[in-house]
Amino acid sequence: MAGHSKFKNTMHRKGRQDAVRAKAFTKIAREITTAAKMGVPDPAMNPRLRLAVTNARAVSMPKDRIERAISQASAVGGEDYKMVRYEGYAPGGIGLIIETLTDNLNRTGGNIRSFLSKAGGNLGTTNSVISGFDRVGEILYPASAANEDAMMEAALEAGADDVETSDDGYVITCTFETLSDVSSALAERFGDAEAANVIWRPHARIEVTGDAALSLRKLIDILEDDDDVQNVFGNYEMTEVDD
């Protein structure tokens, strides 16, 4: 007989989902504030801020939270975050690119070095990993947004380079310089995307399975759980793994 009731399991899952949601809001709010500080605090005139707000709406971030994050950019004594990219390796030669927004370089660098070391990996030197990646724009839409022909036509007309389709939806890629324009054009036709981000896409992927996949998944979870870490990219290929 199981030692946990269905109600307790449901409440545990809900609690975890709420925690994940809160952390996502915190990371997006930090990106919104940083984007607003780097340009004008108006999404219509600031492409990076416009993308950040689009991603905030995609995860149902409350409007007042978005507006508060924008206003914090001009607040006296507010946090001053710096964008820092770390490159490192997980066991098996898996290359990782870790993007952060931090107000304390020593804390962030120390944490990432520790996470990698404890997992059997290590920090790399500048450009040691990104040479195997391309920086591109990526836009995600659910399958319900449009039929395949309509999405393909609209994306290519907007300047996208490629559209991948699956049962889950569409992955539109473009140059990172044109991400804002392509995203805006598609939003006018299909509404806001599920996500629109600049990503690092590997030239080739290494397949990871079994215990190695579990260990890699654990490391990525630890990295992504750090408040300073915004994104983690890697040159791996693995299916969903269970703990």
Side-chain angles (χ1 to χ4, degrees):
M1 183 174 179
H4 302 281
S5 71
K6 181 178 179 181
F7 174 75
K8 286 184 178 178
N9 285 339
T10 300
M11 292 303 293
H12 175 74
R13 287 194 298 271
K14 184 179 185 304
R16 177 163 177 77
Q17 289 168 354
D18 289 345
V20 170
R21 184 185 182 89
K23 187 166 287 291
F25 284 0
T26 298
K27 291 176 183 286
I28 292 174
R30 188 176 291 193
E31 168 63 16
I32 289 173
T33 300
T34 301
K37 273 192 174 184
M38 293 179 66
V40 294
D42 181 354
M45 301 175 64
N46 183 332
R48 178 171 172 172
L49 178 57
R50 183 163 61 248
L51 289 173
V53 171
T54 294
N55 287 329
R57 290 200 297 255
V59 296
S60 302
M61 189 170 176
K63 184 178 179 180
D64 66 329
R65 181 78 184 272
I66 295 173
E67 293 174 345
R68 188 163 66 249
I70 294 174
S71 66
Q72 285 177 349
S74 57
V76 176
E79 292 90 350
D80 186 17
Y81 295 110
K82 291 181 173 61
M83 295 179 293
V84 184
R85 183 184 68 229
Y86 297 88
E87 301 172 49
Y89 294 93
I94 302 298
L96 298 176
I97 298 174
I98 305 155
E99 295 181 332
T100 69
L101 281 175
T102 178
D103 59 353
N104 187 319
L105 294 175
N106 290 332
R107 178 192 66 223
T108 305
N111 284 346
I112 291 176
R113 184 179 292 104
S114 175
F115 296 152
L116 291 172
S117 177
K118 288 179 179 178
N122 61 276
L123 271 178
T125 57
T126 301
N127 298 324
S128 61
V129 175
I130 64 169
S131 58
F133 289 72
D134 291 322
R135 195 174 185 222
V136 301
E138 181 183 78
I139 304 166
L140 307 180
Y141 271 97
S144 58
N147 63 51
E148 184 175 346
D149 289 340
M151 181 61 73
M152 180 74 72
E153 180 181 358
L156 295 180
E157 285 181 356
D161 295 326
D162 189 32
V163 179
E164 295 180 16
T165 63
S166 70
D167 291 340
D168 296 327
Y170 304 99
V171 179
I172 300 103
T173 53
C174 59
T175 63
F176 72 87
E177 298 94 341
T178 61
L179 175 61
S180 180
D181 291 339
V182 174
S183 176
S184 295
L186 292 177
E188 288 182 5
R189 184 159 178 183
F190 305 119
D192 286 342
E194 288 186 331
N197 293 295
V198 175
I199 68 165
W200 291 95
R201 184 175 61 188
H203 298 164
R205 297 180 186 272
I206 300 172
E207 185 175 2
V208 184
T209 60
D211 290 343
L214 287 171
S215 297
L216 179 58
R217 180 71 264 171
K218 181 179 179 180
L219 170 60
I220 293 171
D221 285 345
I222 290 171
L223 287 166
E224 291 181 338
D225 197 48
D226 189 285
D227 287 340
D228 295 335
V229 174
Q230 292 294 100
N231 300 294
V232 180
F233 304 100
N235 62 344
Y236 57 86
E237 186 77 52
M238 66 178 174
T239 55
E240 290 296 321
V241 293
D242 297 322
D243 296 335

